[in-house]
Amino acid sequence: MTKKIVIKIGGTAATQLTPAFFETIKSWQKQHAQIVIVHGGGNHISSLMAQLNEPIQKINGIRFTTQNGINITKMALLGQVQPALIEAFRQNAVSAIGLNAGSNQLLTGHVLDQDVYGYVGAIHQVNTQLIHNIWQQHLVPIIAPLAISNDGQWLNVNADHAATAIAKYLQADELYLLTDVSGVKVSGNILQELTPEKALELQTSNIITGGMIPKINSALDAVQRGVHNVHITNTVTHPGTIVTL
């Protein structure tokens, strides 16, 4: 049976992906796995916003996004991060193609709460047929975390949430949420497994805080909606913390 694997990588990862990462991708492909990459780009967006004097404001870990902010976000993700990633894949002999929300209505979304977050969205539809068509051409789709609303408004989407939505709609077997740590740490030790009950216990006792909270919530959402295994780790060569039901 063909495995479907979704991997979310951070925006700075384009320059940090190791040979082992690409060897793992190629090994999976030899086993006929179908792979999707979803990339972030927060640092690039912040840097470009600073250069263009656009205020940077985060609420509950989510970047408040004006219309001008959306234009800058598109410039960073589609003009800097995605081309660099595609080039990294090419240099490592993995055929990839860049996609975004405008690619045949790939990601359709709605505004979360415009008064609070501006043009930040949640994905409610994924054109899975387009992804299957890309796979048939033996290409790895590399997807930016943006969506377009039904009335044509571009929306900024948290990359973990975008990867989770894509994994859910594809009914993926594996979802890797790559981060800068090798898993969820408790008292200095990496948890091998995390259940919804354990996650709630760790959040209510403030052991899990900050950016790890939306990552874990995305992971739990994914497994509850049919994704078999979700890994929170810093590399595809290590399982990290596996989130299960």
Side-chain angles (χ1 to χ4, degrees), residues 129-141:
Q129 187 58 55
L130 175 61
I131 295 172
H132 282 282
N133 292 347
I134 298 290
W135 281 338
Q136 284 172 3
Q137 298 170 59
H138 305 291
L139 294 168
V140 174

PDB file of all heavy atoms in Angstrom, residues 129-141:
ATOM      1  N   GLN A 129      -7.074  16.387  -5.643  1.00  0.00           N
ATOM      2  CA  GLN A 129      -6.869  15.831  -6.987  1.00  0.00           C
ATOM      3  C   GLN A 129      -5.623  16.425  -7.632  1.00  0.00           C
ATOM      4  O   GLN A 129      -4.861  15.719  -8.292  1.00  0.00           O
ATOM      5  CB  GLN A 129      -8.104  16.104  -7.873  1.00  0.00           C
ATOM      6  CG  GLN A 129      -8.037  15.416  -9.240  1.00  0.00           C
ATOM      7  CD  GLN A 129      -7.877  13.904  -9.125  1.00  0.00           C
ATOM      8  OE1 GLN A 129      -8.665  13.238  -8.467  1.00  0.00           O
ATOM      9  NE2 GLN A 129      -6.834  13.348  -9.741  1.00  0.00           N
ATOM     10  N   LEU A 130      -5.393  17.722  -7.424  1.00  0.00           N
ATOM     11  CA  LEU A 130      -4.197  18.372  -7.968  1.00  0.00           C
ATOM     12  C   LEU A 130      -2.941  17.716  -7.390  1.00  0.00           C
ATOM     13  O   LEU A 130      -1.980  17.436  -8.122  1.00  0.00           O
ATOM     14  CB  LEU A 130      -4.214  19.871  -7.650  1.00  0.00           C
ATOM     15  CG  LEU A 130      -2.958  20.656  -8.050  1.00  0.00           C
ATOM     16  CD1 LEU A 130      -2.721  20.595  -9.562  1.00  0.00           C
ATOM     17  CD2 LEU A 130      -3.065  22.114  -7.609  1.00  0.00           C
ATOM     18  N   ILE A 131      -2.940  17.455  -6.083  1.00  0.00           N
ATOM     19  CA  ILE A 131      -1.785  16.813  -5.443  1.00  0.00           C
ATOM     20  C   ILE A 131      -1.571  15.416  -6.008  1.00  0.00           C
ATOM     21  O   ILE A 131      -0.435  15.024  -6.326  1.00  0.00           O
ATOM     22  CB  ILE A 131      -1.954  16.793  -3.910  1.00  0.00           C
ATOM     23  CG1 ILE A 131      -1.944  18.232  -3.362  1.00  0.00           C
ATOM     24  CG2 ILE A 131      -0.857  15.965  -3.240  1.00  0.00           C
ATOM     25  CD1 ILE A 131      -2.298  18.372  -1.894  1.00  0.00           C
ATOM     26  N   HIS A 132      -2.652  14.666  -6.194  1.00  0.00           N
ATOM     27  CA  HIS A 132      -2.533  13.320  -6.783  1.00  0.00           C
ATOM     28  C   HIS A 132      -1.970  13.396  -8.208  1.00  0.00           C
ATOM     29  O   HIS A 132      -1.157  12.556  -8.603  1.00  0.00           O
ATOM     30  CB  HIS A 132      -3.884  12.606  -6.765  1.00  0.00           C
ATOM     31  CG  HIS A 132      -4.249  12.052  -5.416  1.00  0.00           C
ATOM     32  ND1 HIS A 132      -3.713  10.886  -4.915  1.00  0.00           N
ATOM     33  CD2 HIS A 132      -5.082  12.511  -4.454  1.00  0.00           C
ATOM     34  CE1 HIS A 132      -4.207  10.641  -3.718  1.00  0.00           C
ATOM     35  NE2 HIS A 132      -5.038  11.617  -3.401  1.00  0.00           N
ATOM     36  N   ASN A 133      -2.403  14.407  -8.957  1.00  0.00           N
ATOM     37  CA  ASN A 133      -1.887  14.581 -10.321  1.00  0.00           C
ATOM     38  C   ASN A 133      -0.378  14.856 -10.306  1.00  0.00           C
ATOM     39  O   ASN A 133       0.364  14.358 -11.164  1.00  0.00           O
ATOM     40  CB  ASN A 133      -2.612  15.729 -11.028  1.00  0.00           C
ATOM     41  CG  ASN A 133      -4.071  15.413 -11.317  1.00  0.00           C
ATOM     42  OD1 ASN A 133      -4.490  14.247 -11.214  1.00  0.00           O
ATOM     43  ND2 ASN A 133      -4.857  16.421 -11.642  1.00  0.00           N
ATOM     44  N   ILE A 134       0.064  15.670  -9.345  1.00  0.00           N
ATOM     45  CA  ILE A 134       1.498  15.975  -9.205  1.00  0.00           C
ATOM     46  C   ILE A 134       2.270  14.695  -8.863  1.00  0.00           C
ATOM     47  O   ILE A 134       3.342  14.427  -9.408  1.00  0.00           O
ATOM     48  CB  ILE A 134       1.716  17.050  -8.106  1.00  0.00           C
ATOM     49  CG1 ILE A 134       1.034  18.376  -8.470  1.00  0.00           C
ATOM     50  CG2 ILE A 134       3.204  17.247  -7.813  1.00  0.00           C
ATOM     51  CD1 ILE A 134       1.642  19.143  -9.592  1.00  0.00           C
ATOM     52  N   TRP A 135       1.718  13.908  -7.954  1.00  0.00           N
ATOM     53  CA  TRP A 135       2.362  12.643  -7.571  1.00  0.00           C
ATOM     54  C   TRP A 135       2.514  11.708  -8.767  1.00  0.00           C
ATOM     55  O   TRP A 135       3.515  11.010  -8.889  1.00  0.00           O
ATOM     56  CB  TRP A 135       1.551  11.949  -6.475  1.00  0.00           C
ATOM     57  CG  TRP A 135       1.766  12.512  -5.099  1.00  0.00           C
ATOM     58  CD1 TRP A 135       2.841  13.231  -4.654  1.00  0.00           C
ATOM     59  CD2 TRP A 135       0.887  12.372  -3.976  1.00  0.00           C
ATOM     60  NE1 TRP A 135       2.678  13.558  -3.322  1.00  0.00           N
ATOM     61  CE2 TRP A 135       1.503  13.041  -2.883  1.00  0.00           C
ATOM     62  CE3 TRP A 135      -0.345  11.757  -3.785  1.00  0.00           C
ATOM     63  CZ2 TRP A 135       0.903  13.103  -1.621  1.00  0.00           C
ATOM     64  CZ3 TRP A 135      -0.942  11.821  -2.526  1.00  0.00           C
ATOM     65  CH2 TRP A 135      -0.306  12.491  -1.454  1.00  0.00           C
ATOM     66  N   GLN A 136       1.509  11.690  -9.626  1.00  0.00           N
ATOM     67  CA  GLN A 136       1.572  10.809 -10.801  1.00  0.00           C
ATOM     68  C   GLN A 136       2.725  11.189 -11.728  1.00  0.00           C
ATOM     69  O   GLN A 136       3.214  10.360 -12.500  1.00  0.00           O
ATOM     70  CB  GLN A 136       0.238  10.842 -11.561  1.00  0.00           C
ATOM     71  CG  GLN A 136      -0.851  10.036 -10.864  1.00  0.00           C
ATOM     72  CD  GLN A 136      -2.225  10.227 -11.491  1.00  0.00           C
ATOM     73  OE1 GLN A 136      -2.376  10.929 -12.488  1.00  0.00           O
ATOM     74  NE2 GLN A 136      -3.222   9.590 -10.899  1.00  0.00           N
ATOM     75  N   GLN A 137       3.170  12.439 -11.626  1.00  0.00           N
ATOM     76  CA  GLN A 137       4.321  12.889 -12.428  1.00  0.00           C
ATOM     77  C   GLN A 137       5.648  12.667 -11.683  1.00  0.00           C
ATOM     78  O   GLN A 137       6.697  13.133 -12.117  1.00  0.00           O
ATOM     79  CB  GLN A 137       4.161  14.370 -12.768  1.00  0.00           C
ATOM     80  CG  GLN A 137       2.929  14.683 -13.610  1.00  0.00           C
ATOM     81  CD  GLN A 137       2.696  16.189 -13.718  1.00  0.00           C
ATOM     82  OE1 GLN A 137       3.555  16.916 -14.207  1.00  0.00           O
ATOM     83  NE2 GLN A 137       1.543  16.645 -13.250  1.00  0.00           N
ATOM     84  N   HIS A 138       5.577  11.958 -10.545  1.00  0.00           N
ATOM     85  CA  HIS A 138       6.756  11.636  -9.729  1.00  0.00           C
ATOM     86  C   HIS A 138       7.459  12.902  -9.229  1.00  0.00           C
ATOM     87  O   HIS A 138       8.677  12.990  -9.188  1.00  0.00           O
ATOM     88  CB  HIS A 138       7.737  10.740 -10.501  1.00  0.00           C
ATOM     89  CG  HIS A 138       7.084   9.490 -11.029  1.00  0.00           C
ATOM     90  ND1 HIS A 138       6.648   8.473 -10.210  1.00  0.00           N
ATOM     91  CD2 HIS A 138       6.751   9.129 -12.294  1.00  0.00           C
ATOM     92  CE1 HIS A 138       6.094   7.517 -10.944  1.00  0.00           C
ATOM     93  NE2 HIS A 138       6.137   7.891 -12.200  1.00  0.00           N
ATOM     94  N   LEU A 139       6.640  13.885  -8.855  1.00  0.00           N
ATOM     95  CA  LEU A 139       7.148  15.144  -8.311  1.00  0.00           C
ATOM     96  C   LEU A 139       6.730  15.273  -6.852  1.00  0.00           C
ATOM     97  O   LEU A 139       5.691  14.731  -6.442  1.00  0.00           O
ATOM     98  CB  LEU A 139       6.591  16.336  -9.098  1.00  0.00           C
ATOM     99  CG  LEU A 139       7.011  16.474 -10.555  1.00  0.00           C
ATOM    100  CD1 LEU A 139       6.144  17.517 -11.254  1.00  0.00           C
ATOM    101  CD2 LEU A 139       8.476  16.858 -10.666  1.00  0.00           C
ATOM    102  N   VAL A 140       7.537  16.009  -6.082  1.00  0.00           N
ATOM    103  CA  VAL A 140       7.175  16.340  -4.699  1.00  0.00           C
ATOM    104  C   VAL A 140       6.583  17.750  -4.696  1.00  0.00           C
ATOM    105  O   VAL A 140       7.281  18.712  -5.026  1.00  0.00           O
ATOM    106  CB  VAL A 140       8.403  16.290  -3.768  1.00  0.00           C
ATOM    107  CG1 VAL A 140       8.034  16.785  -2.369  1.00  0.00           C
ATOM    108  CG2 VAL A 140       8.976  14.881  -3.698  1.00  0.00           C
ATOM    109  N   PRO A 141       5.296  17.910  -4.353  1.00  0.00           N
ATOM    110  CA  PRO A 141       4.737  19.262  -4.249  1.00  0.00           C
ATOM    111  C   PRO A 141       5.275  19.978  -3.007  1.00  0.00           C
ATOM    112  O   PRO A 141       5.298  19.398  -1.924  1.00  0.00           O
ATOM    113  CB  PRO A 141       3.229  19.043  -4.152  1.00  0.00           C
ATOM    114  CG  PRO A 141       3.040  17.613  -3.766  1.00  0.00           C
ATOM    115  CD  PRO A 141       4.294  16.865  -4.096  1.00  0.00           C
TER     116      PRO A 141
END
